[in-house]
Amino acid sequence: MTLADLNSRFGIADQLTFIDGPNGLVFAEIDNALGSAYICLQGAHITTFRPKDQVEPVIWVSKFAKFAPGKSIRGGAPVCWPWFGAHATESSFPGHGFARTVMWEVTHSAALPGGETEITLALLETEQTHAQWPHKTRLELNVIVGKSLKASLNTSNLGDTPVQIGEALHTYFQIGDIEEVQVTGLENTVYLDKVGEVARKTQSGAITFNGEVDRVYVDTTATCTIVDARLNRRIVIAKTGSRSTVVWTPWTEKADKMGDFGPDGWRQMVCVESANALENGVTVAAGETHRMTVEYSAEAM
Ligand code: TA6
């Protein structure tokens, strides 16, 4: 669909416009009285979100992100699906699944009565995706942009046998400085610590950061909060349909190796990812739909 077709079918005056981005990538630009966001049609990738009452965006995107076809974008809210992390058996398959690097199509848009803007995208399956995922499923992302950002990642099983998925909204949140924030909500929760010797531990108190952190918290439906003293705000991360939360900062060495954080971009982000990972993988029965939802909001401290 051309840009003109997208705008005539799904554009909304003064709220939603489709624009050309770098390297032929197409973006939905959402800007209403309550908030603004950009969503790349590749990966249905929300690249940033800012409530109008916030100076700083709530969602971080790297100034050195590679916006290129087939490449994951550093930052935003990458859709990890239909597996999280490395594929269970195929090391050649992409980490975190293929959803974030393939094209999606717009299927719906609406101006909501409360002033929010809604858009729905669906993953476009190809021979390549079927080669990695030989199941009859449909994946949709519904996004509502307002004072908060709501997203719902919906997996429908169109086949006649159950399918097992892993998933995450691998969201990078904008913060003042990683050494001055803490994440609350996961106290006393068991996690897999992926830094150094992989081990299962239990969270004691709030999460603070003074080095690389890469943890998959399991069996948790908790709302998490990023308490940011420097930006004098809290970012609240509420979720449903998710039993894992991943907390990640690459710190300097890993960020440098990844090459798309820039010199110190890692200081201004922390990932708090609503997920279903490890033993929290989801079995979607034939004919059923599994929904994982998040709501991101910012409030003054
Ligand atoms: O969610 C944390 C994590 O699994 C880390 O281990 C690190 O690999 C990160 O995701 C980023 O992965 P990416 O494939 O986006 O570079």
Side-chain angles (χ1 to χ4, degrees):
M1 196 179 290
T2 67
L3 217 48
D5 293 342
L6 274 170
N7 279 307
S8 65
R9 278 193 63 185
F10 299 108
I12 303 172
D14 303 327
Q15 281 195 35
L16 169 56
T17 310
F18 294 92
I19 59 172
D20 270 328
N23 302 312
L25 295 180
V26 174
F27 288 75
E29 179 184 49
I30 295 169
D31 189 357
N32 60 47
L34 302 170
S36 62
Y38 283 86
I39 304 174
C40 185
L41 267 56
Q42 175 179 278
H45 195 135
I46 302 162
T47 52
T48 190
F49 161 62
R50 184 179 67 84
K52 289 295 169 74
D53 65 356
Q54 294 293 313
V55 173
E56 294 290 338
V58 165
I59 292 180
W60 174 90
V61 64
S62 173
K63 295 184 180 64
F64 297 81
K66 299 181 186 78
F67 291 99
K71 292 273 182 264
S72 60
I73 298 168
R74 181 64 62 197
V79 174
C80 301
W81 187 93
W83 58 84
F84 180 82
H87 187 274
T89 56
E90 300 293 337
S91 58
S92 64
F93 287 7
H96 292 328
F98 52 77
R100 62 178 172 167
T101 54
V102 300
M103 279 309 292
W104 294 50
E105 62 177 346
V106 181
T107 57
H108 166 78
S109 67
L112 299 184
E116 301 96 344
T117 307
E118 180 177 36
I119 184 171
T120 304
L121 301 100
L123 184 145
L124 283 170
E125 302 204 359
T126 63
E127 271 180 39
Q128 288 78 6
T129 63
H130 279 141
Q132 297 183 6
W133 182 247
H135 305 289
K136 288 179 72 178
T137 52
R138 180 174 173 77
L139 183 67
E140 287 190 327
L141 184 73
N142 177 271
V143 183
I144 296 176
V145 176
K147 185 168 170 36
S148 69
L149 184 136
K150 298 172 191 163
S152 183
L153 185 65
N154 308 326
T155 301
S156 298
N157 182 354
L158 310 177
D160 48 20
T161 56
V163 289
Q164 168 114 7
I165 62 166
E167 60 185 347
L169 286 169
H170 189 302
T171 306
Y172 294 67
F173 292 96
Q174 180 102 28
I175 55 175
D177 186 285
I178 188 69
E179 293 190 86
E180 298 179 26
V181 301
Q182 54 178 313
V183 173
T184 61
L186 294 168
E187 293 78 359
N188 306 315
T189 305
V190 170
Y191 64 92
L192 181 74
D193 190 343
K194 293 166 63 177
V195 175
E197 190 187 329
V198 176
R200 292 227 169 196
K201 302 173 181 174
T202 300
Q203 181 61 38
S204 170
I207 306 167
T208 55
F209 304 91
N210 56 20
E212 181 186 357
V213 168
D214 191 351
R215 301 175 184 174
V216 181
Y217 291 81
V218 293
D219 299 332
T220 172
T221 58
T223 292
C224 291
T225 301
I226 301 169
V227 182
D228 186 342
R230 182 173 287 198
L231 295 187
N232 194 32
R233 70 179 183 185
R234 290 186 188 84
I235 295 176
V236 179
I237 300 147
K239 65 175 190 174
T240 67
S242 158
R243 293 191 55 75
S244 315
T245 297
V246 181
V247 177
W248 179 59
T249 171
W251 216 254
T252 181
E253 200 176 315
K254 184 156 276 185
D256 290 349
K257 277 189 194 141
M258 289 180 160
D260 50 5
F261 279 88
D264 61 358
W266 58 274
R267 283 198 166 276
Q268 276 77 49
M269 52 67 59
V270 64
C271 281
V272 179
E273 308 160 31
S274 302
N276 285 299
L278 301 179
E279 60 261 41
N280 295 142
V282 173
T283 299
V284 187
E288 296 297 315
T289 294
H290 162 75
R291 290 176 175 79
M292 179 173 75
T293 76
V294 295
E295 181 169 13
Y296 304 144
S297 55
E299 56 190 42
M301 285 207 9

